[in-house]
Structures are given as C-alpha cells and as structure tokens.
Amino acid sequence: MAENTKVEFWFDPICPWAWMTSRWIEEVERLRDDVEVDWNVMSLAILNEGRDMDDAHRKPHAFSKRSCLVAAGVKAELGNEAMKRFYDAIGTINHPGGRSGEEGTLEEAATKAEIPAELIARADAGEFDDVLLASHNGAISRVGDEVGTPVIAVNGVAFFGPVISPAPKGDMALQLFDGVVAAAGYEGFFEIKRSRTRGPEFN
C-alpha cells in the first residue's frame, strides 16, 4: 500500500495569492485519497519587520497579524480541521468577499468557523505570540526569508508558491501537483519563475 503524500501549507490570511494556492491544494486533497494537508500560519508582518515599506503595505500586514495570532491559537488549541475551517472563513471574507481589513471580519469568521470567541481575546492578550512565531519560523527556516506566502512542503521539501491564478480544477490541478511532487523529489531544485500577467481570479 502506497504511503500518503504529506503536504504542509503555510498562509497569511491577508494574501490573495496564498488563497489561490490554497484552493488548488484543497482541490488536490479532494481528488486524491493519498494526499493529506497540514494547515499552518505564517505572518507577512513578521517577515517584513524592519524592512522599508510604505503604508499601503504596512497597514494591511499589521491588521492581518491579529488574524494570524488567532489562527495560531486555533491550530494549537483545536487542531488541523478547525484551522482549515477558520482559514476558509476568513479567506472567503478577505478575498472573494473583498472585505479585507474591515473591522469585525475576524469575529465574523470565528463565528462562521465555530471558533470560541475567547481565543480571540487570548490572542489579543499575547498568549499566542510565541506560537505564531514558531509556526512562521517553521516555514521560513526551510525556504529562507527572501520569499513570501504561501509556503508549501511536499514530503518535507519546502518551496515558496506555486503562485497561480486562477486555481486549477480537476485533472489540471492534479497535473500541477504531480509537477510539484516531481520537483520536490530532486534535492538540487530551487526555483522556477516568470513575471505575473494577471491578478488573482477567484473562482
């Protein structure tokens, strides 16, 4: 019997590109019984600490860090399935819903995902600061700090990306996944890239 393919996925809830990639890997997990996804959080606010940024980038990153802290608490306290529910909820509000940065969206997402409100209060009190940092470092320690989000690891080999739009479905989703698995199988593979020609297309 073949072993399962272990996928680890790190996201920042504010990143539309991470959201696109997450919808692809969700499709792969749905279609392939041997694929298991472990959902994790990283933080663009932490990644960009000390870097020269304009307010257009700094403000949303700071706002998102609160969501990241809650996500870290959800994973630590409630596990992987709850983490996925929370990400689905906050990501849907932020991206297809177009309401990223609005007051009250975090609380709305927690309610939709059946996450206890006390986790938000505990996150605001700083209880999950170290948990978030550890999760964030779990990604960055494997890919370096010259990347962003998402970070994906396949059977322990981590990459930034893939950056895609729109998220492929069906056979195309599986073809892309098989390519990522193949790349992960070669220890000397590091990167492949081209300039983006479109923005996120939510489908």
Side-chain angles (χ1 to χ4, degrees):
M1 184 174 179
E3 293 184 1
N4 286 348
T5 301
K6 178 67 178 296
V7 175
E8 299 163 90
F9 189 96
W10 283 266
F11 62 88
D12 184 311
I14 207 170
C15 179
W17 297 105
W19 177 253
M20 301 298 298
T21 306
S22 76
R23 300 308 91 181
W24 158 67
I25 202 63
E26 177 186 65
E27 173 79 347
V28 171
E29 186 176 34
R30 183 182 70 82
L31 294 172
R32 288 264 175 92
D33 292 339
D34 64 336
V35 172
E36 298 178 352
V37 182
D38 181 33
W39 299 92
N40 301 279
V41 65
M42 60 184 293
S43 170
L44 291 171
I46 293 175
L47 183 65
N48 290 301
E49 282 178 354
R51 297 182 182 179
D52 187 20
M53 296 176 60
D54 58 31
D55 286 345
H57 289 87
R58 186 181 297 106
K59 288 181 179 178
H61 287 180
F63 187 91
S64 181
K65 189 174 180 182
R66 188 170 179 238
S67 297
C68 292
L69 287 164
V70 173
V74 169
K75 180 66 180 289
E77 300 276 316
L78 303 176
N80 196 53
E81 290 185 10
M83 177 70 140
K84 178 61 164 54
R85 291 199 311 270
F86 176 71
Y87 183 38
D88 286 348
I90 192 65
T92 298
I93 291 169
N94 283 348
H95 304 303
R99 296 167 55 205
S100 180
E102 290 185 10
E103 293 293 335
T105 54
L106 175 57
E107 290 78 7
E108 179 183 335
T111 298
K112 288 183 176 179
E114 301 180 339
I115 302 303
E118 56 99 5
L119 278 183
I120 299 178
R122 290 168 62 190
D124 289 342
E127 187 170 337
F128 302 122
D129 288 11
D130 290 344
V131 179
L132 172 58
L133 185 60
S135 181
H136 176 86
N137 287 339
I140 297 305
S141 65
R142 292 156 75 174
V143 294
D145 61 3
E146 297 179 356
V147 300
T149 177
V151 169
I152 185 172
V154 178
N155 293 330
V157 179
F159 304 105
F160 163 61
V163 176
I164 52 177
S165 180
K169 304 292 185 182
D171 288 344
M172 183 55 67
L174 296 179
Q175 287 180 41
L176 177 58
F177 182 71
D178 289 340
V180 172
V181 172
Y186 178 59
E187 190 274 336
F189 178 83
F190 296 105
E191 66 178 290
I192 185 169
K193 187 175 182 179
R194 64 175 177 166
S195 297
R196 294 193 296 263
T197 59
R198 68 185 71 171
E201 297 178 10
F202 306 121
N203 54 11

